Amino acid sequence: GWGCTVLTATGSATLPDLSHTQPNIILADYHLDNEVGLDVIAALRARYGDAIPAILITADRSNEVRAQAEALTAMVLSKPLRPASLRTLLTRCRQMLAAAE
């Protein structure tokens, strides 16, 4: 109901074929099967462009994870996830995309 089309993957190795489009926003959980969400953010941006807004979702509240996300200019959303917080960040990402056009 938020006007999003969602494609999922469990990590870089299982990213869907996006040859017909590119992601508008990246949502990545920090802990994945064999890597961390920051790796997926970096892989998607390397493939489709550094300007794609990204949100890292994590229960890890350490300064190290926050610094790594900041280095990638990824926003951080802490677990437990509140839908209103996610919707607010998605709206901010959409505004960033609109301003870039």
Side-chain angles (χ1 to χ4, degrees), residues 8-15 26-44 56-58 79:
T8 62
T10 59
S12 297
T14 61
L15 291 173
I26 303 166
L27 293 176
D29 191 51
Y30 183 70
H31 292 286
L32 300 171
D33 290 342
N34 298 312
E35 61 191 326
V36 295
L38 295 167
D39 296 332
V40 174
I41 292 169
L44 283 167
L56 180 69
I57 301 169
T58 182
K79 291 180 182 179

Side-chain angles (χ1 to χ4, degrees), residues 10-100:
T10 59
S12 297
T14 61
L15 291 173
D17 176 22
L18 298 175
S19 57
H20 61 285
T21 187
Q22 75 172 39
N24 294 77
I25 301 169
I26 303 166
L27 293 176
D29 191 51
Y30 183 70
H31 292 286
L32 300 171
D33 290 342
N34 298 312
E35 61 191 326
V36 295
L38 295 167
D39 296 332
V40 174
I41 292 169
L44 283 167
R45 285 180 170 170
R47 193 179 300 173
Y48 299 106
D50 290 331
I52 301 170
I55 301 170
L56 180 69
I57 301 169
T58 182
D60 187 328
R61 297 176 187 267
S62 71
N63 290 333
E64 179 183 345
V65 169
R66 291 192 179 279
Q68 291 172 348
E70 186 175 313
L72 285 178
T73 63
M75 295 172 259
V76 176
L77 192 55
S78 296
K79 291 180 182 179
L81 184 70
R82 291 189 314 250
S85 298
L86 176 58
R87 189 171 184 139
T88 296
L89 284 184
L90 289 173
T91 299
R92 185 182 307 166
C93 289
R94 285 180 172 162
Q95 291 169 344
M96 292 168 51
L97 291 168

